[in-house]
Amino acid sequence: MTIVIVLLVTFLALAIIAYGSSNIHSGMFLEAKCKNDSEEIMLTFDDGPDPVNTPKLLDVLDKYGVKATFFMIGEKVDKYPEVVKEVHRRGHRIAGHTYYHNPWHNFLIHRKYMDELKKAHESFAKLGIEITDFRPPLGITTPTVASACTRMHYTVWGWSVRSFDTMNKPRKAVLARIVKRLHPRGVILLHDRMDGVAELTEGVILAIREKGLKV
């Protein structure tokens, strides 16, 4: 009986840790910002820059006078520096999203994870961009991520509206999901590596304004 109890307690503890690490809203390992500082809804884009989709997206954002936050992968920053510069030139916030975007790296030992964050940080620095904001891949947090972000003095961001735009669902279905969850101070998670992100974002902006909200 004692062994059974120990196994059940162990299983429960592991389940709680798994939930805490995979749910950035839990605050188990670090406090992530999941709401905007103002009443405006915040558009955020992960996994860029993309040489095709990001420029199209920038044109849509310019069309409606909207500023967004781009959580960029260091490896892509090195590959597409001109796209990064254009995002910066147009006045959008640029933030970190690790160098390789491998979620399993969130479980690396502290030194190796720090090396990856520093490598990504240097990719931005070479372009004259200082980043202070960060989002871990898939929102997975661990003690290693928490410690490294503290040492890098990063503000860690989550989200309050997850679009699931990477699931290859019809754009209308993705848009409907987002619209249903809109709220003041919301933080919407999108991905500028996805085809059709510009058109999807235009739909989101129009829906936000139709509801009398600000973006």
Side-chain angles (χ1 to χ4, degrees):
M1 181 64 71
T2 302
I3 294 176
V4 172
I5 293 174
V6 170
L7 289 174
L8 285 174
V9 170
T10 301
F11 176 79
L12 179 60
L14 290 174
I16 291 172
I17 291 172
Y19 173 80
S21 66
S22 62
N23 185 349
I24 199 168
H25 303 84
S26 72
M28 179 173 288
F29 297 115
L30 56 79
E31 288 292 333
K33 296 183 67 173
C34 298
K35 291 186 178 180
N36 196 10
D37 295 328
S38 72
E39 288 299 306
E40 293 183 356
I41 292 175
M42 180 177 171
L43 297 182
T44 69
F45 299 90
D46 285 10
D47 298 0
D50 184 272
V52 175
N53 295 312
T54 304
K56 292 179 181 179
L57 173 60
L58 291 176
D59 289 341
V60 167
L61 294 172
D62 277 357
K63 178 180 177 180
Y64 294 97
V66 172
K67 299 302 180 187
T69 301
F70 290 79
F71 291 90
M72 296 184 175
I73 300 170
E75 192 174 31
K76 290 186 177 181
V77 170
D78 286 340
K79 193 172 182 179
Y80 308 114
E82 294 307 315
V83 181
V84 182
K85 291 178 184 177
E86 187 62 15
V87 173
H88 188 255
R89 186 188 71 79
R90 298 204 196 187
H92 301 284
R93 182 191 298 175
I94 294 178
H97 200 43
T98 70
Y99 189 84
Y100 296 108
H101 194 274
N102 185 331
W104 290 108
H105 286 188
N106 291 7
F107 299 92
L108 290 172
I109 61 174
H110 176 75
R111 178 179 56 78
K112 289 188 176 181
Y113 194 76
M114 276 294 297
D115 287 345
E116 180 170 348
L117 290 197
K118 287 179 179 178
K119 186 174 183 178
H121 201 90
E122 289 168 2
S123 297
F124 294 105
K126 286 186 291 187
L127 302 179
I129 300 171
E130 182 72 18
I131 62 169
T132 59
D133 300 283
F134 177 79
R135 177 180 281 158
L138 301 186
I140 294 175
T141 60
T142 65
T144 295
V145 174
S147 176
C149 288
T150 297
R151 290 192 61 181
M152 295 293 287
H153 304 290
Y154 284 155
T155 298
V156 179
W157 284 89
W159 55 81
S160 63
V161 181
R162 190 170 191 173
S163 64
F164 287 105
D165 57 335
T166 61
M167 303 297 288
N168 294 322
K169 294 182 179 180
R171 192 186 309 148
K172 286 181 64 176
V174 176
L175 179 59
R177 173 185 171 82
I178 296 170
V179 172
K180 185 178 180 181
R181 291 163 173 77
L182 290 176
H183 61 90
R185 300 179 64 202
V187 179
I188 301 176
L189 170 61
L190 295 159
H191 296 79
D192 55 322
R193 66 176 172 83
M194 298 300 296
D195 292 340
V197 66
E199 294 82 0
L200 174 60
T201 301
E202 183 168 30
V204 171
I205 293 171
L206 292 173
I208 290 172
R209 292 183 174 174
E210 185 176 331
K211 285 179 171 286
L213 299 173
K214 296 181 179 180
V215 61

